[in-house]
């Protein structure tokens, strides 16, 4: 069905009854000589608009914006209601302009405040609005002519905007019931007519107008900007209305950092674009992806007038869009064509008119690890061939070759990473049997068996702790641990299988086998935990060994330095005591350890091994925990003589300095 939206037909019904001539009590500033008037001149009396004037201005502003942005297929029908309904224009394209409407409203004139209000009613206009919605527009007639026998498939929708002064809530409900009953009656008439169409949907918008309270006059206002800053320029904000696709296209191009105010949903109703002054201003140098008409919100303001005149003189304005990251991008351009101003959407990516980069160099020089070989195989598997014999689906309907080709392409691309570093299973030869058959629409029992064998082989690889082709691009160190690598692999394999789970019941069997293998028994989990602890312990010991190896030479040098200092001090004390005439003989002391006696043979030979360092550290620590052996303390040159008491009994002297003698 060709459906015309509610905005295709819009009927304005403006109340022309006597109470619409009442003042809105909002004064209009028209005496521009208030500040420069000399004394003695009486100021002009203030004036205010009527409710009728406010209603006409608002409706005309609506039409102006709609005609600027949507010059075609958005039609307006204007009706004035008092003692009867006065239709000011028709649905034809020739009547869709502000000049025709303003001339017709001028002919109607303002409402007469002395007229009988009992003779006036807004209901006349609402009934005429329903009649207008049943009439066929030129675009609907063209659509009905193209469909011929199926002319009833053309939809008819519309909108009624009623501007009046409602008395109460019951009055509003009465107007709604009147419109609903009128639509029901006119649909019966349209069902038997070739020149009318039934109304399928109608939006009723009631705008209640009433005077507001008196406002206060603020005196001593600051001077105008021209008087304050005669030689300086100021920045202005100009609010523009346009079709929402002007920003939707930019979001589709890949930029999600649109700045603005979001009132409902994710769509930004107001987007801030800043004036940009580039070095070039040539329109031909910018690649545009769309152009949309614009309309200023305040068309009579000075900023809007300056911008409009600037653009109509053949100039162009580039607009930049700030991003959240702080960088800016030139996203739009304002330019006029044929006396109408358009907002152009500029492409922020590479132009399709330029030569594409070499795939070996990467897109923009950023990505270089594309799966080029796999993509060539993918193209060979999905080549189009002549469709010779007709095929039928399971339900008996004829299978369309183009639809079948699209369906196969969709199945093959449900999960297909484009970059080598983004996938693990497609870099493994062991997964090829499963990946090649899982994309089929229907699998055989042999295919299911091959998929199960592939899964079991992966389980065996994990049990053997075989390495996986995990990409380490952009990562520091050794990359993820072996358990993490297999977890990534299993997750990706599950994503691939789940993408095709709805193809058939046998695809479901493959997924069940995969999930059963992923749920490991407790002993397997315990083995994995022990393996992780062992790896952590090896890493920790390696780190400790490196730290100790780096600290050991410094510790050895400090220890030797301390021994030498103590030796020098003891020798000095011994010389002082021996030189004194009254000093007794010094007692026998334990022989001092010289540098040659220190067991640091490995140090002289070269760098010590990790085992020697560790053994020395353990021996030193253990020697502090027990009392030294008396024989080792009394030994000479690390030699202790045994059975000394036997020699004493036999009359032999004890060995002193390695020599024996008789008493």
């Amino acid at each position: 069905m060709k459906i015309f939206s509610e905005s295709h037909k819009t009927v304005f019904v403006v109340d022309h009854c006597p109470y619409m001539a009442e003042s809105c009590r909002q004064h209009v500033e028209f005496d521009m000589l208030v500040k420069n008037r000399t004394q003695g001149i009486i100021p002009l009396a203030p004036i205010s608009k009527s409710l009728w004037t406010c209603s006409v201005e608002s409706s005309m502003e609506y039409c102006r914006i709609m005609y600027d942005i949507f010059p075609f297929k958005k039609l307006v029908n204007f009706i004035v209601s008092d003692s009867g309904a006065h239709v000011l224009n028709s649905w034809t394209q020739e009547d869709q302009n502000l000049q025709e409407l303003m001339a017709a409203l001028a002919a109607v004139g303002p409402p007469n405040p002395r007229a009988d209000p009992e003779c006036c009613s807004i209901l006349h206009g609402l009934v005429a609005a329903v009649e207008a919605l049943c009439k066929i527009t030129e675009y609907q007639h063209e659509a009905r002519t193209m469909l011929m026998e199926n002319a009833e498939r053309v939809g008819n929708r519309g909108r009624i905007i009623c501007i009046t002064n409602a008395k109460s809530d019951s009055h509003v409900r009465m107007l709604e019931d009147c419109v609903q009953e009128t639509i029901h009656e006119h649909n019966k008439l349209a069902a038997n007519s070739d020149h009318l169409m039934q109304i399928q949907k109608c939006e009723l918008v009631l705008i209640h107008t009433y005077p507001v309270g008196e406002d206060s006059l603020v005196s001593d206002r600051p001077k105008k900007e021209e008087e304050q800053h005669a030689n300086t320029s100021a920045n202005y904000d100009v609010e523009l209305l346009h079709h929402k696709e002007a920003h939707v296209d930019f979001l589709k191009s890949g930029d999600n950092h649109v700045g603005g105010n979001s009132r409902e949903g994710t769509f930004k109703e107001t987007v801030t674009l800043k004036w940009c002054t580039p070095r070039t201003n040539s329109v031909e140098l910018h690649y545009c992806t769309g152009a949309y008409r614009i309309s200023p919100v305040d068309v009579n303001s000075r900023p809007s007038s300056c911008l409009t005149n600037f653009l109509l003189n053949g100039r162009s304005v580039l607009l930049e869009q700030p991003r959240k990251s702080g960088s800016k991008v030139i996203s739009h351009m304002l330019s006029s064509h044929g006396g109408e101003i358009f907002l152009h959407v500029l492409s922020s990516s590479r132009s399709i008119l330029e030569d594409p980069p070499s795939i070996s160099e990467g897109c923009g020089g950023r990505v270089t690890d594309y799966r080029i070989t796999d993509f060539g195989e993918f193209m060979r598997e999905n080549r189009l061939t002549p469709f010779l014999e007709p095929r039928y689906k399971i339900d008996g309907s004829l299978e369309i070759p183009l639809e079948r080709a699209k369906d196969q392409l969709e199945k093959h691309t449900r999960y297909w990473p484009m970059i080598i570093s983004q996938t693990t299973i497609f870099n493994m030869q062991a997964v090829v049997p499963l990946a090649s058959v899982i994309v089929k629409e229907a699998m055989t029992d042999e295919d299911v068996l091959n998929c199960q064998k592939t899964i079991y082989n992966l389980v065996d690889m994990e049990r053997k702790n075989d390495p996986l082709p995990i990409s380490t691009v952009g990562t520091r160190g050794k990359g993820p641990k072996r358990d993490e690598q297999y977890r990534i692999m299993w997750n990706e394999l599950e994503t691939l299988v789940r993408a095709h789970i709805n193809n058939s019941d046998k695809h479901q069997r493959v997924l069940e086998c995969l999930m059963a293998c992923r749920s490991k028994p407790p002993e397997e989990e315990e083995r994995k935990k022990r393996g992780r602890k062992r790896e952590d312990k090896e890493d920790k010991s390696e780190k400790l060994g490196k730290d100790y190896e780096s600290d050991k030479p410094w510790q050895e040098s400090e220890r030797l330095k301390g021994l030498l200092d103590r030796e020098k001090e003891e020798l000095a004390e011994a010389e002082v005591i021996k030189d004194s005439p009254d000093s007794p003989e010094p007692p026998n002391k334990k022989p001092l350890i010289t540098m040659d006696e220190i067991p640091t043979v490995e140090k002289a030979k070269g760098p010590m091994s990790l085992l020697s360092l560790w053994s020395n550290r353990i021996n030193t620590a253990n020697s502090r925990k027990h009392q030294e052996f008396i024989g080792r303390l009394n030994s000479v040159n690390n030699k202790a003589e045994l059975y000394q008491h036997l020699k004493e009994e036999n009359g032999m002297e004890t060995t002193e300095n390695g020599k024996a003698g008789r008493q």
Side-chain angles (χ1 to χ4, degrees):
M1 176 181 289
K2 184 173 180 57
I3 299 177
F4 288 87
S5 64
E6 291 81 1
S7 59
H8 176 60
K9 290 180 178 180
T10 301
V11 183
F12 270 97
V13 180
V14 183
D15 200 341
H16 197 250
C17 295
Y19 50 79
M20 295 297 289
E22 185 179 351
S23 171
C24 69
R25 300 176 188 173
Q26 287 288 330
H27 293 164
V28 179
E29 182 180 355
F30 70 98
D31 191 357
M32 307 304 296
L33 303 177
V34 176
K35 298 298 179 183
N36 298 329
R37 182 182 294 111
T38 59
Q39 296 181 356
I41 299 179
I42 301 175
L44 299 177
I47 63 173
S48 60
K49 301 177 184 178
S50 63
L51 296 179
W52 164 258
T53 303
C54 295
S55 302
V56 171
E57 285 184 350
S58 60
S59 57
M60 288 298 100
E61 186 70 7
Y62 179 96
C63 296
R64 178 191 67 81
I65 294 173
M66 193 178 68
Y67 289 152
D68 286 347
I69 302 177
F70 306 103
F72 305 104
K73 295 187 178 181
K74 306 294 182 183
L75 310 177
V76 174
N77 191 278
F78 219 90
I79 299 176
V80 175
S81 178
D82 43 25
S83 58
H86 307 280
V87 181
L88 304 185
N89 65 336
S90 63
W91 294 122
T92 59
Q93 192 66 46
E94 292 78 10
D95 291 346
Q96 302 300 313
N97 57 79
L98 290 178
Q99 290 77 16
E100 292 288 338
L101 292 177
M102 295 296 288
L105 287 171
V108 172
N112 185 8
R114 290 178 292 275
D116 186 6
E118 298 295 333
C119 299
C120 302
S121 176
I122 193 64
L123 297 178
H124 304 300
L126 293 176
V127 174
V130 175
E131 294 177 357
L133 290 179
C134 291
K135 295 180 181 180
I136 302 176
T137 63
E138 296 176 351
Y139 300 101
Q140 289 176 329
H141 177 70
E142 182 181 354
R144 286 162 60 94
T145 305
M146 292 176 61
L147 293 176
M148 297 299 289
E149 293 85 1
N150 298 324
E152 67 277 359
R153 298 177 61 182
V154 178
N156 183 32
R157 298 183 177 186
R159 179 186 295 120
I160 298 176
I161 301 177
C162 179
I163 304 178
T164 183
N165 181 271
K167 305 299 185 297
S168 61
D169 293 340
S170 59
H171 186 202
V172 173
R173 287 192 294 269
M174 184 266 293
L175 297 178
E176 294 174 352
D177 296 339
C178 174
V179 173
Q180 188 173 4
E181 293 176 1
T182 306
I183 291 175
H184 182 69
E185 294 175 359
H186 282 75
N187 281 344
K188 292 181 180 179
L189 298 175
N192 301 323
S193 175
D194 295 335
H195 304 286
L196 300 176
M197 294 182 65
Q198 291 182 334
I199 301 175
Q200 297 173 345
K201 184 178 180 181
C202 176
E203 288 185 359
L204 177 61
V205 181
L206 294 176
I207 301 177
H208 174 54
T209 60
Y210 60 94
V212 297
E214 293 287 345
D215 59 348
S216 301
L217 178 63
V218 180
S219 60
D220 297 334
R221 294 181 303 134
K223 293 183 178 181
K224 294 186 177 179
E225 182 266 337
E226 295 87 354
E227 299 176 2
Q228 287 185 341
H229 309 283
N231 298 323
T232 61
S233 60
N235 294 329
Y236 296 101
D237 292 336
V238 180
E239 188 173 0
L240 303 176
L241 297 175
H242 54 81
H243 199 282
K244 64 180 180 179
E245 295 294 331
H247 293 302
V248 172
D249 287 351
F250 193 71
L251 290 173
K252 291 179 180 178
S253 65
D255 194 328
N256 295 324
H257 304 290
V258 180
N261 300 325
S262 177
R263 297 179 182 176
E264 52 184 46
T266 59
F267 179 71
K268 307 292 188 302
E269 290 190 355
T270 303
V271 178
T272 302
L273 302 176
K274 294 185 178 181
W275 183 296
C276 179
T277 308
R279 295 182 179 180
T280 177
N281 198 24
S282 177
V283 180
E284 289 76 17
L285 295 180
H286 301 288
Y287 168 58
C288 301
T289 60
Y292 305 92
R293 290 178 171 84
I294 62 101
S295 180
V297 173
D298 191 359
V299 68
N300 295 322
S301 66
R302 187 187 172 198
S304 299
S305 178
C306 292
L307 178 62
T308 302
N309 293 332
F310 182 82
L311 296 172
L312 291 178
N313 288 332
R315 306 291 296 275
S316 298
V317 175
L318 291 177
L319 304 175
E320 62 184 14
Q321 196 165 38
R323 297 181 176 179
K324 290 182 179 179
S325 59
S327 60
K328 299 177 182 178
V329 59
I330 299 177
S331 58
H332 298 79
M333 179 182 68
L334 287 173
S335 183
S336 63
H337 305 285
E340 296 184 3
I341 303 176
F342 290 83
L343 178 66
H344 300 73
V345 182
L346 303 181
S347 176
S348 60
S349 58
R350 180 182 292 271
S351 171
I352 59 176
L353 304 177
E354 301 177 14
D355 293 334
S358 174
I359 194 169
S360 60
E361 298 174 0
C363 181
R366 294 185 295 270
V367 180
T368 57
D369 57 340
Y370 288 110
R371 298 171 56 200
I372 303 176
T373 306
D374 296 342
F375 187 68
E377 185 66 26
F378 169 79
M379 290 190 294
R380 281 192 293 270
E381 294 177 355
N382 293 274
R383 286 181 297 181
L384 292 176
T385 58
F387 201 76
L388 301 178
E389 298 179 358
R391 296 185 181 180
Y392 296 91
K393 298 181 181 179
I394 300 177
D395 56 0
S397 60
L398 183 64
E399 188 176 35
I400 302 176
L402 180 60
E403 296 298 328
R404 182 189 175 200
K406 290 181 180 179
D407 184 61
Q408 178 176 336
L409 192 62
E410 187 272 334
K411 286 186 175 64
H412 281 73
T413 56
R414 285 179 185 174
Y415 183 75
W416 203 91
M418 297 181 61
I419 302 174
I420 296 176
S421 59
Q422 292 180 349
T423 179
T424 301
I425 60 175
F426 288 100
N427 299 331
M428 300 172 58
Q429 193 66 27
V431 188
V432 172
L434 185 146
S436 59
V437 300
I438 199 67
V439 296
K440 292 183 179 181
E441 184 177 0
M443 296 174 59
T444 62
D445 293 336
E446 185 178 358
D447 294 337
V448 175
L449 184 60
N450 290 334
C451 292
Q452 293 175 349
K453 288 181 179 179
T454 302
I455 297 174
Y456 296 150
N457 289 337
L458 295 176
V459 173
D460 189 57
M461 289 177 58
E462 185 179 11
R463 184 180 59 81
K464 295 178 180 178
N465 211 15
D466 292 341
L468 294 180
I470 296 290
S471 176
T472 58
V473 177
T475 59
R476 296 181 178 180
K478 300 179 181 180
K481 293 183 182 267
R482 197 63 53 83
D483 287 351
E484 180 67 16
Q485 294 179 8
Y486 275 95
R487 189 187 66 80
I488 295 173
M489 185 272 294
W490 286 117
N491 290 340
E492 186 179 6
L493 186 62
E494 182 179 350
T495 302
L496 174 64
V497 176
R498 285 189 180 276
H500 303 274
I501 189 177
N502 296 326
N503 292 0
S504 66
D505 295 338
K506 295 181 179 179
H507 289 77
Q508 178 68 31
R509 289 170 53 188
V510 176
L511 178 63
E512 292 174 356
C513 176
L514 174 62
M515 300 308 295
C517 292
R518 288 204 64 178
S519 58
K520 302 170 185 175
E523 57 271 12
E524 182 71 14
E525 289 294 335
E526 186 65 25
R527 188 186 65 82
K528 288 290 181 182
K529 189 180 297 184
R530 290 197 302 269
R532 284 194 295 269
K533 289 182 178 179
R534 184 172 61 254
E535 290 181 1
D536 295 340
K537 187 179 297 183
E538 291 176 357
D539 294 343
K540 189 179 296 184
S541 63
E542 182 178 354
K543 183 178 180 182
L544 288 175
K546 291 181 179 180
D547 295 341
Y548 181 78
E549 186 174 357
S550 60
D551 295 341
K552 187 64 178 178
W554 177 81
Q555 295 175 358
E556 289 290 333
S557 62
E558 291 293 328
R559 188 174 67 85
L560 294 177
K561 183 178 179 181
L563 290 174
L564 290 174
D565 293 341
R566 285 196 298 272
E567 182 180 3
K568 290 179 181 180
E569 292 176 358
E570 292 176 358
L571 288 176
E573 291 177 359
E575 290 177 358
V576 170
I577 296 174
K578 190 176 291 186
D579 292 341
S580 176
D582 299 330
S583 62
E585 288 294 327
N588 291 331
K589 294 185 178 180
K590 179 182 176 181
L592 297 176
I593 301 175
T594 62
M595 292 292 296
D596 296 335
E597 295 175 305
I598 297 176
T600 56
V601 183
E602 293 82 4
K603 190 69 178 179
K605 293 182 180 180
M608 300 179 65
S609 64
L610 179 61
L611 178 60
S612 301
L613 292 173
W614 185 259
S615 300
N616 293 338
R617 181 179 180 181
I618 295 298
N619 294 335
T620 304
N622 292 336
S623 64
R624 299 170 183 169
K625 298 179 181 179
H626 62 84
Q627 188 175 2
E628 187 59 69
F629 178 51
I630 189 66
R632 186 179 291 112
L633 292 176
N634 298 329
S635 64
V636 178
N637 294 331
N638 290 331
K639 293 181 180 180
E641 189 174 356
L642 302 179
Y643 311 112
Q644 295 184 11
H645 63 286
L646 296 178
K647 292 182 179 181
E648 293 176 356
E649 293 177 356
N650 295 329
M652 299 292 293
E653 294 182 353
T654 58
T655 302
E656 184 177 352
N657 296 329
K659 296 181 181 180
R662 290 187 176 271
Q663 292 181 348

